[in-house]
Amino acid sequence: MPFKSLDELRAACLDLPAGSDTAAAAVARRQNTLTKPQGSLGRLETIAAWLARWQGRDMPKLDRVKVFVFAGNHGVTAQGVSAFPSEVTVQMVANFAGGGAAINQLARIAGAELDVIPLDLDHPTGDFTQQPAMDEKAFLAAVSAGYGAVTGDIDLVCFGEMGIGNTTPAAALSTALFGGRAEKWTGRGTGVDDAGLKRKVTAIEAGLKRHADALADPLKVAAALGGRELAAIFGATLAARHNNVPVLLDGFVCTAAAAPLARLHPAGLAHTIAAHVSAESGHRRLLEALGLPPLLDLGMRLGEGSGACLAVNIVRSALECHARMASFAEAGVSEK
């Protein structure tokens, strides 16, 4: 297990590479020679520079793109916070294996490898209204599982999740990390009715009260209020930074899972781009709090890494324009 204590994990979160200014500057110089008005491709130009910075290459590449979907089950579902029963998590993992989910189709179209990692699905986390979701050992094991999944031979990575009830811990984490009332961060998730939404808010308030002593520490918050798949996404996001792999963040749950890194280090999520803003009400607020403008706004709220995987096609487009467009000199086009 890479991390044997919270102190080890905290030290790893504070020791983050800054990325390559040289590679990003080389991309910017090339962009200014291509047959277009400067800046006319908008964020496609900055995406190319972002890839270069975090890959450390003057000419980025996307030969190997991976999508990791982490799956976990949650004890807080006992509070009636989801419209679906918890056994759906296992059933959907089987659906991923059979190729029948949305993420299977989106990964294929994006030219991305898909790896689904279930995390002790037969043993849900603790109901955080009654006890910590995870003790330190369980939390570190889940973080380490995510950390170990991401290796330096990946050019771009997307993270997804599957876990019935997991918008509740995501909203609880967001409330604990960024403040405000629980209602501000809590949405309908899988489609709960008004009574279900009220139960979610009540559960989050109870969890925040029970674990008040942990709220000053982002790692203790992630253990007390989170879930195994959220902890794994946190670990995988950290590993991506240490391995110089740029990250496309998916929806509300993935963003909340990664958010403790931003609270521990002011540039903790600099290697990430928000792929989309989901229809889950807290996601837009969370992206604003993190200073992460989304690439897409399509009203999606599926999870699975679906929005992140869809955005891979935009990143590929950015790289194709950067790498294959002719310069003014090559094309014989007059500059202004």
Side-chain angles (χ1 to χ4, degrees), residues 6 39-40 53 55 59-60 79 104 130 140 148 151 167 238 256 279 302 330:
L6 288 182
S40 60
R53 176 181 297 280
Q55 290 183 2
M59 182 56 71
Q79 302 300 318
N104 298 98
Q130 307 296 319
L140 291 171
T151 53
T167 59
L238 178 61
L302 175 63
E330 290 166 341

Side-chain angles (χ1 to χ4, degrees), residues 56-327:
R57 301 185 181 105
D58 289 5
M59 182 56 71
K61 65 178 185 177
L62 290 172
D63 296 341
R64 190 177 188 210
V65 178
K66 286 208 70 171
V67 182
F68 291 97
V69 178
F70 299 98
N73 271 323
H74 298 266
V76 75
T77 57
Q79 302 300 318
V81 298
S82 176
F84 287 82
S86 58
E87 56 263 30
V88 170
T89 303
V90 173
Q91 293 164 357
M92 281 302 299
V93 167
N95 191 30
F96 298 146
I103 190 59
N104 298 98
Q105 322 322 319
L106 294 170
R108 184 181 67 254
I109 291 297
E113 303 172 44
L114 176 61
D115 192 354
V116 180
I117 302 178
L119 298 159
D120 204 6
L121 297 183
D122 291 336
H123 300 94
T125 55
D127 177 353
F128 66 60
T129 69
Q130 307 296 319
Q131 65 188 88
M134 295 165 283
D135 61 20
E136 182 174 327
K137 182 179 178 181
F139 175 66
L140 291 171
V143 170
S144 296
Y147 191 92
V150 180
T151 53
D153 58 347
I154 301 170
D155 299 318
L156 177 68
V157 69
C158 306
F159 301 130
E161 41 65 36
M162 180 63 219
I164 292 301
N166 66 11
T167 59
T168 300
L173 279 176
S174 299
T175 307
L177 293 172
F178 297 99
R181 296 181 61 82
E183 291 94 334
K184 174 181 177 181
W185 302 101
T186 308
R188 295 184 183 273
T190 51
V192 294
D193 58 15
D194 289 346
L197 183 60
K198 185 175 181 180
R199 288 193 295 271
K200 288 181 74 170
V201 170
T202 299
I204 291 166
E205 290 173 341
L208 292 169
K209 183 177 181 180
R210 176 168 289 275
H211 305 293
D213 291 345
L215 299 186
D217 185 335
L219 294 179
K220 290 181 179 179
V221 163
L225 298 175
R228 290 191 183 91
E229 76 275 37
L230 280 79
I233 290 166
F234 176 81
T237 304
L238 178 61
R241 182 62 164 267
H242 287 161
N243 285 290
N244 300 309
V245 180
V247 174
L248 286 173
L249 290 174
D250 192 46
F252 182 46
V253 176
C254 279
T255 307
L261 188 55
R263 301 302 280 171
L264 289 163
H265 191 293
L269 296 182
H271 64 306
T272 73
I273 283 180
H276 77 128
V277 57
S278 78
E280 186 68 8
S281 60
H283 192 210
R284 191 179 300 275
R285 295 187 181 97
L286 184 55
L287 293 178
E288 290 171 353
L290 292 167
L292 293 173
L295 288 178
L296 299 168
D297 184 353
L298 298 175
M300 298 171 68
R301 55 180 182 87
L302 175 63
E304 303 180 5
S306 52
C309 199
L310 189 60
V312 170
N313 299 289
I314 294 177
V315 178
R316 288 195 183 279
S317 298
L319 181 56
E320 286 296 294
C321 288
H322 177 72
R324 297 182 183 277
M325 282 181 68
S327 68

